[in-house]
Every structure is written in C-alpha cells, then in structure tokens.
C-alpha cells in the first residue's frame, strides 16, 4: 500500500493548494483489524474530503507509473485553476497500528514532493486531527493549538453540561488502540467529576473488542464478564 499513502499525501497537498487552506491526512483504518490500515483526508473545516474530489483519489491511486502521476497532477492543477509549488500545509496524524509510522512518513513525503509543508503530529485520534485542522484554518494563521487545548475544550464542555453532577464512574472499551493512551490523558483532567476505568488497552487493535465488534457480532467485547459486570456503566 506504500504508493497509495504516498499519493494520498500528494492529493492532500493538491486539495490544500486548491482551497488555500490547510488540510489533513489521518493514517488509520478505524474499526478494521490490526493488519488492515487506511487513510482519511480531512477538509479545511474539519470535515471529510469533498465528494467531488473522491473520484480524483481513485484515479490517482490507480495510476501505473510515476510519469502518469506527474502528468495527472499537472492536468488536475490546470483544470482546477491553481498553481503547483506553493507551500500549502497538510497536518498528519496516525493511530497505534504497527504500520502507521511508516505509512505516515510516506504521506509526509508525498506532501513535500510537491513543495508542501507537512506537520506530523504523530499519535492522534481521528477527531483530534480534524480539530487541529479546523482550528488552524479558523484562527487566522499559525500552527494548531497544542493537544492540551483539545482536552481543555472537552473538560470545559463536560463541566458545563453537568454542573450539579456528583462524581460517577464509567468503564470504557479502548479497542486496544489509540483511544487508550488519549483517554488516559483526558481521564486525568476529569478526575474530579468522572472516574474512567479503561479496559482493552493493549494488544492487537480491535481484536475481539470495539464498537464494530459489538455492533456487527451482537456480542460483548473481551474484558467484560456478563455475570460480574452487571450494572456497570
């Protein structure tokens, strides 16, 4: 899949150059099994890539040679009415799959191959990357806020909607993925209002756990005892 991720970096750059704003590339396959990785391109407002550009992604991924790619890129820029070579920005994040660092590096290479600036933030959840891109394009310039600002918004919102709530406890299936370390950071900041106990924090991503496993299989995730855990939230 190396060429696909390299070209997704190219496409994210092209979209950023077209819009004149930063875009994002998230290396993740969400609910898929550990070996199956993927990539998502994020629009400047924090939403998914525009539907009218989705055919471009398929075309670019399926080109045979480098010469074909170069000709296709030049034709796209001309047809969409923007210049190549500008320092358009792409923000990159990745999940905890063992293949993600290599694939994220290829996305960065694709961005930089056309003269773009890639900012690789390493381990992030998909919503965090989308948030970073949205804030970057709405703040009038500069780099996205640090991760701390993301957590501050969540904690502040939770306090606003639960002003009179006493401390409670929830158990969270972390799917053995990126949610585990990120939720640990959030749990520290919510400790006065909400106790979060994580399970399925280590192992092969989504193996016998996670939302897709429960929804499609109609079974409990591993780590839940149907007898002992009755009544737990």
């Amino acid at each position: 899949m190396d060429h696909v991720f390299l070209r997704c970096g190219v496409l994210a750059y092209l979209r950023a150059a077209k819009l004149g704003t930063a875009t994002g590339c998230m290396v993740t396959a969400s609910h898929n099994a550990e070996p199956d990785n993927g990539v998502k391109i994020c629009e400047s407002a924090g939403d998914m890539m525009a539907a009218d550009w989705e055919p471009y992604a398929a075309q670019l991924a399926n080109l045979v040679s480098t010469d074909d790619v170069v000709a296709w890129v030049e034709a796209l820029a001309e047809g969409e009415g923007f210049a190549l070579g500008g320092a358009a920005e792409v923000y990159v994040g990745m999940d905890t799959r063992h293949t993600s660092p290599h694939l994220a590096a290829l996305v960065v290479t694709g961005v930089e191959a056309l003269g773009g600036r890639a900012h690789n933030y390493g381990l992030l959840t998909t919503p965090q990357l989308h948030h970073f891109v949205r804030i970057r394009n709405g703040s009038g310039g500069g780099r996205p806020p640090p991760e701390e600002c993301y957590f501050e918004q969540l904690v502040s919102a939770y306090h606003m909607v639960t002003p009179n709530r006493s401390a409670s406890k929830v158990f969270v299936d972390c799917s053995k993925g990126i949610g585990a370390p990120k939720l640990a950071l959030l749990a520290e900041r919510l400790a006065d209002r909400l106790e979060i106990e994580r399970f399925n924090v280590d192992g092969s991503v989504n193996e016998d756990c996670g939302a897709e496993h429960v929804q499609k299989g109609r079974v409990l995730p591993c780590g839940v005892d149907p007898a002992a855990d009755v009544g737990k939230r």
Side-chain angles (χ1 to χ4, degrees):
M1 293 183 70
D2 285 8
H3 77 284
V4 174
F5 285 79
L6 184 70
R7 294 177 188 184
C8 278
V10 169
L11 188 63
Y13 165 85
L14 293 172
R15 185 63 178 160
K18 165 68 176 179
L19 296 173
T21 56
T23 60
C25 249
M26 182 67 199
V27 177
T28 184
S30 299
H31 301 291
N32 286 14
E34 165 77 35
D36 301 330
N37 219 330
V39 61
K40 301 174 181 179
I41 295 178
C42 172
E43 288 276 284
S44 57
D47 47 347
M48 298 307 295
M49 189 175 68
D52 60 350
W53 269 57
E54 289 178 2
Y56 294 156
Q59 293 168 19
L60 181 57
N62 288 309
L63 293 173
V64 176
S65 70
T66 300
D67 289 342
D68 290 340
V69 171
V70 171
W72 184 92
V73 167
E74 291 174 345
L76 175 69
E78 182 178 356
E80 290 284 341
F82 64 88
L84 295 171
E89 294 180 298
V90 178
Y91 297 99
V92 182
M94 65 180 184
D95 67 13
T96 57
R97 285 176 170 81
H98 71 281
T99 56
S100 290
H102 170 69
L103 297 174
L106 288 169
V107 171
V108 170
T109 299
V111 174
E112 294 177 344
L114 292 183
R117 290 183 292 175
H119 305 290
N120 190 350
Y121 284 90
L123 293 174
L124 292 176
T125 66
T126 301
Q128 283 182 309
L129 179 72
H130 284 242
H131 175 80
F132 277 24
V133 172
R134 177 179 176 272
I135 294 299
R136 162 65 180 87
N137 291 317
S139 62
R143 297 286 293 277
E147 189 175 45
E148 181 61 32
C149 293
Y150 176 83
F151 290 124
E152 285 178 0
Q153 288 196 17
L154 292 179
V155 172
S156 175
Y158 187 79
H159 283 184
M160 288 177 62
V161 299
T162 60
N164 301 313
R165 189 180 185 91
S166 58
S168 59
K169 183 174 183 176
V170 294
F171 298 81
V172 181
D173 175 7
C174 294
S175 306
K176 305 176 184 177
I178 185 62
K182 297 305 180 182
L183 185 60
L185 297 174
L186 180 61
E188 293 175 1
R189 293 158 174 79
L190 282 174
D192 64 326
R193 191 67 62 87
L194 180 66
E195 182 182 354
I196 298 174
E197 182 172 322
R198 302 170 304 139
F199 66 99
N200 290 332
V201 298
D202 298 307
S204 184
V205 176
N206 294 322
E207 185 177 31
D208 298 325
C209 60
E212 193 97 340
H213 172 77
V214 173
Q215 186 266 327
K216 288 188 174 178
R218 295 293 193 266
V219 292
L220 291 171
C222 59
V224 173
D225 185 330
D229 293 333
V230 171
K232 292 182 177 179
R233 299 177 62 215

